[in-house]
């Protein structure tokens, strides 16, 4: 027997054992009481350990980062291990170890007592972080088991380090170039902005003459669509013309290059000497007086006028690179109108969290000016190999003022001989250089036309070949 089980009024309950508790309280069982007693004994034997890692904001490549692991325990510290986790968690690379058994150097450790508990902080410094440092990190802490020093109690915390990289390069190119000039109908034109080296992918947008372009997202047509143009449809009404470009001066300049029948007035193109020989039937060019080849430039404008301001369609693609960054290709497409778009300034601008200010690249759409032609040798003789090369474009009124970068997009060059075939028998030749091998005397006085064209316009330059006798 274990004491009294039924107390009288006013008498205390005799609790000489577990049976008294079970009979009088009715709220506990032998199993639950044993569990509480065992848990209390286990806590006294093992102690406790909590580990937390301070969160980090995104950092930029080249920054120095300090990882901080805080842990609290009432036990004896055994070890601290830092890991960098790779390959989706399958590989853990050890980057720092502190062994309390053999190491008494606390250069990375800070500890102080508070409420009879030990609070520690372990720090790991990563100087000049790279893209490859991006990812999760873990801090593992071990303390000794109070019951036996052969056992270690472990706890861990983790943090994700986000490493950003600003874009390294930006450029604007024209798609599908070099391309010919369309004389009779409008054509679509696409600018491509290429931004490389960013992480995460940057935000790309376009401006025209400093004003943000209102774009329409391009929707790829489905297999059941009505054709390739399905993605370029929009229900909005056409907008008015841009008054900045469509002025009377430019319109009159365009119309002045058309003759009375509406054909292009190509000055001295088909017969360059016609204007000089009228009224002088007996005039003949003399090789002795024409050492410098004659050059004639003509410009052709489109024979159609766009009736409304174009709609701009926008799309972009992200291309992952091997170094963990992304290449963004943003494209803007519209119906080109050389009458309005010639000399228009387009810019591509980039916003990125790693940049303090937007990054930009700009280009000016420009039709070709008259190509500057260089003939070598300057005094060709019978049997020589003659090279006629494009050396830039003529700008302004000064004949010696030339520029290599005043034309965009890149023009297409085509060579023809006025009134006949080229020396090799072909009708035309493409490229920036025309080579005439072993020129015969019959080519003396022959005229060659170099046509430079891009989607904004076309221009011709003529030069005369003078062949001297041996």
């Amino acid at each position: 027997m274990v004491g009294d089980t039924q107390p009288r009024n006013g008498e205390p309950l005799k609790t000489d054992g577990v049976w008294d508790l079970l009979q009088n309280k009715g709220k506990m069982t032998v199993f639950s009481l044993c569990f509480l007693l065992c848990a209390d004994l286990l806590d006294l034997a093992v102690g406790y350990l909590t580990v937390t890692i301070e969160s980090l904001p995104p950092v930029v490549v080249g920054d120095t980062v300090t990882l901080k692991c805080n842990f609290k325990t009432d036990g004896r510290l055994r070890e601290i291990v830092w890991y960098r986790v790779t390959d989706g968690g399958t590989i853990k690379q050890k980057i720092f170890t502190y062994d309390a058994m053999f190491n008494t150097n606390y250069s990375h450790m800070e500890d102080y007592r508070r409420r009879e508990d030990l609070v520690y902080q372990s720090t790991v410094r990563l100087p000049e972080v790279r893209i490859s440092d991006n990812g999760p990190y873990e801090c593992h802490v071990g303390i000794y088991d109070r019951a036996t020093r052969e056992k270690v109690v472990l706890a861990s915390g983790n943090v994700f380090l986000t490493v950003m990289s600003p874009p390294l390069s930006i450029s604007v190119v024209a798609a599908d170039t070099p391309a010919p000039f369309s004389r009779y109908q409008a054509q679509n034109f696409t600018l491509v902005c290429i931004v490389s080296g960013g992480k995460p992918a940057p935000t790309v947008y376009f401006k025209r003459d400093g004003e943000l372009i209102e774009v329409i997202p391009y929707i790829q047509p489905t297999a059941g669509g009505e054709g390739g143009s399905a993605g370029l449809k929009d229900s909005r009404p056409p907008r008015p013309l841009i008054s900045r470009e469509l002025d009377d001066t430019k319109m009159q300049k365009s119309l002045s290059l058309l003759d009375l029948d509406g054909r292009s007035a190509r000055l001295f193109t088909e017969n360059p000497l016609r204007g000089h020989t009228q009224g002088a039937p007996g005039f003949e060019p003399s090789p002795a007086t024409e050492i410098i080849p004659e050059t004639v430039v003509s410009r052709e404008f489109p024979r159609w006028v766009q009736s409304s301001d174009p709609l701009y369609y926008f799309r972009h693609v992200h291309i992952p690179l091997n170094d963990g960054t992304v290449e963004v290709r943003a494209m803007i497409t519209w119906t080109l109108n050389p009458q309005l778009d010639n000399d228009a300034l387009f810019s591509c601008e980039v916003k990125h969290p790693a940049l303090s200010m937007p990054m930009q690249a700009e280009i000016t759409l420009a039709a070709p000016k008259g190509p500057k032609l260089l003939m070598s040798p300057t005094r060709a003789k019978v049997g020589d190999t003659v090279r006629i090369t494009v050396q830039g474009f003529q700008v302004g009124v000064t004949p010696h003022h030339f520029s290599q970068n005043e034309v965009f997009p890149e023009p297409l060059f085509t060579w023809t001989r006025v009134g006949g075939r080229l020396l090799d028998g072909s009708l035309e030749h493409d490229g920036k250089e025309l080579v005439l091998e072993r020129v015969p005397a019959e080519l003396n006085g022959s005229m060659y036309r170099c046509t430079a064209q891009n989607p904004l316009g076309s221009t011709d330059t003529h030069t005369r070949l003078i062949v001297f006798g041996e």
Side-chain angles (χ1 to χ4, degrees), residues 176-243:
D176 304 322
T177 57
F181 171 65
S182 177
R183 291 173 174 81
Y184 302 104
Q185 63 181 359
Q187 58 182 334
N188 287 336
F189 185 74
T190 300
L191 286 177
V192 184
C193 181
I194 304 174
V195 185
S196 299
K199 178 185 176 296
T203 301
V204 182
Y205 52 94
F206 287 88
K207 290 184 177 181
R208 173 173 175 154
D209 295 327
E211 298 291 335
L212 184 66
I213 297 178
E214 179 185 354
V215 297
I216 303 170
Y218 177 82
I219 302 175
Q220 286 284 8
T222 60
E226 299 179 1
S229 62
L232 297 179
K233 291 184 178 180
D234 185 76
S235 59
R236 297 186 304 173
R239 290 168 285 179
L241 287 169
I242 302 176
S243 59

Side-chain angles (χ1 to χ4, degrees), residues 295-299 367-373 390-396 399 401-403 406-407 413 450-452 458-462:
T295 300
V296 180
V297 179
S298 63
R299 170 77 184 276
K369 285 76 175 175
K372 175 184 181 295
L373 303 182
V390 177
Q391 294 291 318
F393 297 92
Q394 304 181 26
V395 181
H401 183 198
F402 302 102
S403 173
E406 293 292 332
V407 176
F413 297 98
C450 176
T451 301
S458 174
T459 181
D460 293 338
T461 298
H462 293 76

Side-chain angles (χ1 to χ4, degrees), residues 76-196:
R76 290 190 58 189
L77 180 64
R78 173 62 179 86
E79 65 178 0
I80 305 170
V81 182
W82 280 90
Y83 294 95
R84 186 167 78 89
V85 184
T86 59
D87 292 340
T90 59
I91 298 178
K92 293 184 178 181
Q93 177 186 0
K94 188 180 296 185
I95 61 174
F96 173 82
T97 300
Y98 172 79
D99 192 329
M101 180 178 294
F102 304 102
N103 191 349
T104 59
N105 182 6
Y106 283 76
S107 61
H108 291 88
M109 304 288 295
E110 296 178 6
D111 64 286
Y112 54 90
R113 291 186 175 273
R114 186 178 61 182
R115 298 179 184 176
E116 299 180 354
D117 296 327
L118 290 179
V119 180
Y120 295 88
Q121 183 180 79
S122 172
T123 61
V124 173
R125 185 171 176 269
L126 304 177
E128 298 181 358
V129 294
R130 298 170 294 179
I131 289 294
S132 58
D133 295 323
N134 185 88
Y137 290 79
E138 294 182 357
C139 173
H140 292 240
V141 179
I143 63 171
Y144 285 110
D145 190 322
R146 287 188 176 185
T148 171
R149 295 193 53 139
E150 295 179 357
K151 294 182 179 180
V152 177
V153 179
L154 297 176
S156 65
N158 61 80
V159 67
F160 196 95
L161 175 62
T162 301
V163 181
M164 301 185 301
S165 174
L168 301 179
S169 64
I170 179 173
S171 61
V172 180
V173 299
D176 304 322
T177 57
F181 171 65
S182 177
R183 291 173 174 81
Y184 302 104
Q185 63 181 359
Q187 58 182 334
N188 287 336
F189 185 74
T190 300
L191 286 177
V192 184
C193 181
I194 304 174
V195 185
S196 299

